[in-house]
Amino acid sequence: GAVVSQHPSWVICKSGTSVKIECRSLDFQATTMFWYRQFPKQSLMLMATSNEGSKATYEQGVEKDKFLINHASLTLSTLTVTSAHPEDSSFYICSAQLAGGSYNEQFFGPGTRLTVL
Amino acid sequence: GENVEQHPSTLSVQEGDSAVIKCTYSDSASNYFPWYKQELGKRPQLIIDIRSNVGEKKDQRIAVTLNKTAKHFSLHITETQPEDSAVYFCAASMMLMGNQFYFGTGTSLTVIP
C-alpha cells in the first residue's frame, strides 16, 4: 500500500516552454502533498506544500508564478514549471501524506527528471 | 525556518562494521525525525523514524537516538552489509503543524565487502 506515482518520469523540453508533472497517490487519499527538487548528489529541497482544495504554500525563495501547483483532488497534485529555462533542469520528487490522524510518514514518488535545452 | 545539518557527507565502512550518521536541527518545535534511504535513481524510502517523546528506537540492525536538549539525532547501522550502500537523509518535521520535512544534506554510505 501507500504507492505514489509521478508522470512523466523523464521529460526534455525546449527553453521557454511549460512542463506539467503529475503526482498521484494510487491507493490512499492525501490531503497534503509536497514537492521537492533534488540536484545531482544533493539533498531534497522542499519547494512547496500542496493542500487539496486550497492554495499551495511555497518555501522562501521559490517563485510561485514559476512553479504552479494545483491539488484538485485527494489523489492528484500537479506541478507546472512555466517558461522553463536550463537552470530549471533538475529531479523533481513529490510526496504524499496519509489523510487524517497523526501519522506523519510521507510516501515519495519515483521522481521526474526534467531537462531543459 | 528549520535548518538541518548532517554529517558526514560520505562514509565508508567495512562489511560487518557499524555506521553512524549524525544530524542537528535548529527549531526546538520539531518533534518528528525520519530517516530515509535513497538508492541511485530511486525514490527515498523510510527506514526508521522517531518522535520527540522517546530517546531511542531500534529496528533490527538500525537504531535512532534523539537528544532534544542538544537538538541532535543519530542513525546507527550495525553489522553493515553491501546492500546498505546508499544515500541516507535525515529530516526534521513538526507534526500537526504543516508537517513539512526539512532534509539534511545526505550521507553517501559505502559498505566495502
Side-chain angles (χ1 to χ4, degrees):
Chain A
V3 178
V4 176
S5 69
Q6 276 184 247
H7 178 80
S9 56
W10 185 32
V11 56
I12 301 174
C13 69
K14 291 183 178 180
S15 186
T17 61
S18 295
V19 175
K20 180 186 282 189
I21 302 170
E22 294 185 348
C23 177
R24 292 182 184 273
S25 56
L26 299 184
D27 51 0
F28 66 100
Q29 293 185 332
T31 52
T32 304
M33 292 183 173
F34 302 89
W35 286 96
Y36 297 85
R37 184 172 180 177
Q38 186 175 34
F39 291 105
K41 297 186 179 181
Q42 293 191 24
S43 187
L44 294 92
M45 293 191 60
L46 179 65
M47 298 174 65
T49 303
S50 170
N51 294 297
E52 186 266 337
S54 64
K55 289 184 178 181
T57 304
Y58 291 82
E59 294 297 302
Q60 191 173 8
V62 178
E63 299 176 59
K64 61 180 182 181
D65 295 330
K66 172 77 171 175
F67 300 99
L68 301 178
I69 291 173
N70 184 276
H71 194 155
S73 77
L74 287 172
T75 59
L76 174 63
S77 176
T78 60
L79 169 68
T80 301
V81 183
T82 62
S83 187
H85 291 283
E87 57 266 29
D88 298 323
S89 298
S90 188
F91 196 56
Y92 292 87
I93 304 181
C94 71
S95 70
Q97 198 158 51
L98 283 166
S102 61
Y103 192 53
N104 213 46
E105 184 177 355
Q106 290 184 22
F107 299 93
F108 285 84
T112 297
R113 186 163 302 283
L114 170 64
T115 301
V116 184
L117 302 177
Chain B
E2 175 64 279
N3 181 46
V4 180
E5 295 188 354
Q6 184 171 345
H7 300 279
S9 57
T10 60
L11 179 61
S12 292
V13 299
Q14 291 288 336
E15 182 177 0
D17 287 350
S18 296
V20 180
I21 303 171
K22 299 181 179 181
C23 287
T24 61
Y25 60 100
S26 61
D27 196 330
S28 56
S30 291
N31 53 16
Y32 176 70
F33 307 92
W35 285 89
Y36 281 83
K37 176 183 180 181
Q38 187 179 30
E39 297 178 33
L40 190 63
K42 296 188 176 181
R43 73 188 79 193
Q45 299 275 10
L46 178 72
I47 56 171
I48 196 168
D49 56 12
I50 191 168
R51 300 184 182 186
S52 60
N53 58 346
V54 298
E56 184 174 359
K57 183 177 179 181
K58 189 174 182 180
D59 182 5
Q60 300 182 344
R61 297 187 296 110
I62 297 173
V64 56
T65 58
L66 171 65
N67 183 325
K68 285 191 299 181
T69 303
K71 289 189 283 190
H72 67 69
F73 55 112
S74 301
L75 177 71
H76 304 253
I77 306 174
T78 59
E79 301 172 29
T80 53
Q81 301 166 2
E83 50 265 38
D84 293 330
S85 297
V87 179
Y88 291 81
F89 293 99
C90 63
S93 173
M94 294 173 227
M95 284 172 55
L96 306 180
M97 294 283 289
N99 294 327
Q100 286 85 358
F101 283 13
Y102 295 96
F103 283 87
T105 46
T107 297
S108 178
L109 172 65
T110 301
V111 180
I112 304 166

